[in-house]
Amino acid sequence: VIDMPFGRLDKDVQDNIASRLPDLASQVILLMLPGTEWNDHTKAILKDRTSNVYVLSFDEKIRQTNIGKG
């Protein structure tokens, strides 16, 4: 599990990391910020190597995080 793997990295470094992350283990779980880390660019790099994408959304009313398919 890697939390925010692209935080504060420039585009070239993000590209290099995104292309190598799937090779680190048989399963890699990435927690990324939408728009910042999980954007059109990183989606294009990882699309053929991503099996499932989930979106976590926090519901303030019931104070619960919901998980949905992304």
Side-chain angles (χ1 to χ4, degrees):
V1 176
I2 303 172
D3 187 10
M4 296 180 59
F6 306 124
R8 298 185 183 142
L9 301 176
D10 67 30
K11 184 184 167 304
D12 292 333
V13 176
Q14 283 184 8
D15 290 353
N16 288 329
I17 291 174
S19 63
R20 290 179 173 85
L21 277 175
D23 297 324
L24 293 177
S26 60
Q27 180 180 22
V28 178
I29 298 170
L30 304 174
L31 303 173
M32 298 191 286
L33 294 171
T36 304
E37 293 182 301
W38 186 245
N39 53 45
D40 291 338
H41 187 70
T42 52
K43 285 179 193 177
I45 292 171
L46 294 170
K47 71 178 178 179
D48 294 330
R49 307 198 55 201
T50 304
S51 59
N52 295 302
V53 176
Y54 297 95
V55 176
L56 304 177
S57 57
F58 186 71
D59 187 327
E60 287 283 344
K61 290 180 184 178
I62 58 175
R63 311 273 314 148
Q64 174 179 314
T65 300
N66 300 306
I67 302 170
K69 270 299 224 178

